[in-house]
Amino acid sequence: MSLHLEADVLIIGGGLAGCWAAVAAARAGAEVVLADKGYCGTSGVTATAGPNHWWVPPDPEKRAQAVRDRDARALGLADPRWMARIIDTTWRTLPTLADYYRHSVTAGGVPHYQSLRGPEYLRALRRYAEASGVRILDHSPALELLLHADGSVAGARGLRRQGEGGNWTVRAAGVVVATGGCAFLSKLLGSRTNTGDGHLMAAEAGARLSGMEFSTYHTVAERHSTQTRSASYAFADYFDADGRQIDTGGNPDVTLPLARALLAGPVYATLARMPADLRAILPQIQPAILLPFQRQGIDPFTQRFPITLHGEGTVRGTGGLRLVDDDCQTDVPGLYAAGDAATRELIAGATSGGGAQNSAWAVSSGTWSGQAAARLASARGRRAHQGVEAAGGAGLRPTAGALKDAAALTRHLTEGVRAEMLPYDKILFRRGPVLAQSLATLDGLWRDARDRLAPGPDATARVRAREAAALVACARWSTATALARGETRGLHRREDAPGLNPDLAHRLLSGGLDTVWVRADGPAQRSPARRSNVA
Amino acid sequence: MIELVVDDRCTRCDTCVQVCPTNVFERGTDGLPLIARQEDCQTCFLCELYCQADALYVAPNCDEPVAVDAASIMASGLLGQFRRDSGWNEWEGDPAHANLHWRMGELFARARAG
C-alpha cells in the first residue's frame, strides 16, 4: 500500500523542534503533515531528558546582559541578534503549551514554564499538534526529498514501518527538516534515531552545512547505562582504579580529565556529595536516573560505580545545516531546518548550546520555520501537480550495482563510522595526521555506500541502509572541517594546534557528497550591530 | 535494553508497539508484543513508562543483552517503578509523586555552592 498525501507543509521529525514547527505552521492556517521516524511523543533526545529553556524576562537591560554574557563565551562565531530573537520567541511561545502540560507553580504563584520533564513535554506537544490539526505519521521515516525543476523542494518520500506498511509520498510547498543532530550511534540517551538523515537528504538537494567540527560534546553516565544526567553528576567525585581521586580542576566541564583517565583505565564515580534532602526527592526530579542503579543493586550515594562518557556528535555540538535567512531556510528554496539539524553557531558559536540554549533554539527555530513554510504555501501554492525529481542517492540507488548482502555492508559502514567518530583520542584530542587518516577511511566508506549499498529486502533494512549512508556523510563533513580548522576553538580541540588562530575567527562551511569540501563562510558573518533590540 | 515482556500481565493493548521510538516491538500472532529488534533498543525506558500493565522490563545495560530471571524481577518491585515515580496514570495527583523537575536548577546551584 502506498500513501500519497498533499499538504501545505511537511515536517520531517517529531521531536522538540519538529513538534513546535508543526504547531506553528498549523496555527498559521496551514495543512500540516508530520512524518516521524519513530513515535512523535517519544522520539528525539528531549523526550528522554529534562530540558530547561533559556529564559529571560522581557526587561531590555536583562536581555541585553544575557546576550552579552553568552556572546562573550561564543569565541566570535555567534550572532547577538539571533540570541535576542530566540530569547524573545521562546518567552512568548513556551507558555502556549499550558493547556497540555501541568506546569509546576512556584512560591510566588507563577507557573514555572521554562523547565519541563522530557516524556511529559513531548507527550504534551503531540497533543498540542493533534489539537492544532496536524496529521502525524508515526514510524514513517523519510528517505529522500523531492525537488521541482527549479531546485526548490517539492516534498519527500519515505516508508511506513507499521500498519499496512508500504511507501509514503507527501507533496508540500514547504518542508521543515527537524531530524535532530547526528550522534554517530553513540549510546547517548535517546539518540538511536539521530543518524543525520536530514543532513544527508538536505545535502543531496543542495544544502550546505556549517560548524560540523563542533561535534565533540560528551556526557557522563554509569558504565553500560544511557542515563546522562548532568544535574545529578554535578555532585560526582571521580576516582581511578587505584582509588585516587581524579582532579577535575574545579571546572564544571569534566570531559577532558575524565576522557584522559578513561583512556588510561576504568574510572569510578560516587554521588556522595548530594545532600540528603535532594536524594530524597531525586526520583521526583529525575525519575529515570536511579533506575540503572536500583536494577544493579548499586547505591550511588555510598558506593563507587564505573562510569563512561557518551559522545553527543552534533546533538550538543553546534554543527548542522546552514541557514540563509531569519526564517531558517537552507540553501534549498522552501527547505527549512529547525532544532539540532540546523547549525547552532548563530547562538552558541564555537561552544555547546548545552541544554537550555539548544531547547530555546528548538522552540524558536521550529516556530519560525513552521510559520515561514505556511507563508510560503499561501504565497506560492502547493504546485502538487508539477513533475518532480527524487534527490536521494547513497543507500537508495547504488551506482555500480547492488551487493547481495546489504545487511553486511550496512554493518561495515556503521561500524566504520563508529570507529572513527567515537574513540576519545580521535575526537577529543584531535591531530591533523589522524584526522587525515580518518577522512581517507571515511571517503572509502562513502564510495562503498554510493556504489554498492542497496535498500535491502524489508523496511528495517531500507532504513538502516539509508542511516548508514547518512552517518558516513556526516562523519566526513565533521572530520574534513576538523582537519581544516587548524586551531583550538571552543569544542574543537587540536592537540597539534593549541590556542586560537585569529585568522580562523570565522565559520567553516562544508558540503559535497562524492567530493567533500570545506571553506570559510566569510569574515565574522554577524548581523549588523543591532545588539539586544528586542522586538 | 528491553529484556522481558511479562505475558501474564500484558493486556495486549499494543501501546509499547506504538510508542517505542525505535520500533523494537512487533505484535505477535497471539497479540502479545514480540521483542523483534532488540539491537535497536536505546534503553530509554519509555516503553515502561507507557505500559499501564507494568508488564515490561528494560535491563539497564545498553551495550549488550543480559539474561534476566522473570520470577525475581516480578518479586523485585521494579516493574512499574518508573511510571509510579513519574506520577503517571493512577499516580497522577498523588503529592508523593508530584513532578519536581522544576527544582533541577537547584541541583546545579547547590553542587556549585559545595
Side-chain angles (χ1 to χ4, degrees), chain A residues 21-104:
Chain A
V23 164
R27 284 163 58 100
E31 189 179 333
V32 182
V33 173
L34 184 155
D36 194 284
K37 190 177 185 179
Y39 175 78
C40 173
T42 60
S43 270
V45 290
T46 309
T48 57
N52 196 0
H53 294 71
W54 205 10
W55 197 247
V56 189
D59 168 331
E61 187 39 47
K62 275 186 185 150
R63 289 195 171 177
Q65 188 63 44
V67 170
R68 274 196 300 275
D69 290 349
R70 190 62 187 82
D71 191 37
R73 291 188 281 122
L75 296 165
L77 302 191
D79 187 329
R81 190 177 67 85
W82 280 79
M83 293 189 202
R85 291 182 75 209
I86 73 163
I87 289 174
D88 192 55
T89 296
T90 302
W91 180 271
R92 293 166 187 272
T93 306
L94 205 43
T96 66
L97 191 65
D99 287 346
Y100 306 94
Y101 187 96
R102 188 186 292 231
H103 293 286
S104 304

Side-chain angles (χ1 to χ4, degrees), chain A residues 38-39 42 50 102 104 112 115-117 120 139 161-162 187 190-192 224 226 277 284 294-295 464, chain B residues 17-20 23 39-40 42-43 48 58 60-63 81 88 92 96 98-102 110:
Chain A
Y39 175 78
T42 60
R102 188 186 292 231
S104 304
H112 187 93
S115 180
L116 300 92
R117 198 185 274 161
E120 288 83 352
H139 297 288
R161 300 187 66 189
Q162 294 194 357
K187 299 290 181 174
S191 72
R192 168 61 186 84
H224 299 306
T226 53
D277 63 312
Q284 288 173 266
Q294 288 163 343
R295 289 169 193 212
R464 284 188 183 150
Chain B
V17 178
Q18 184 189 3
V19 303
C20 171
N23 198 31
E39 69 276 18
D40 284 341
Q42 61 175 4
T43 318
E48 285 192 27
V58 176
N61 192 318
C62 65
D63 292 319
Q81 172 198 19
W88 279 36
E92 192 169 346
N99 181 347
L100 298 184
H101 183 268
W102 64 278
R110 287 178 62 185

Side-chain angles (χ1 to χ4, degrees), chain A residues 37 141-142 179 193-202 463 466-467 470 474:
Chain A
K37 190 177 185 179
T179 47
T193 53
N194 290 57
T195 45
D197 311 2
H199 301 67
L200 175 61
M201 286 188 279
V463 174
R466 201 56 180 146
E467 287 178 339
C474 287

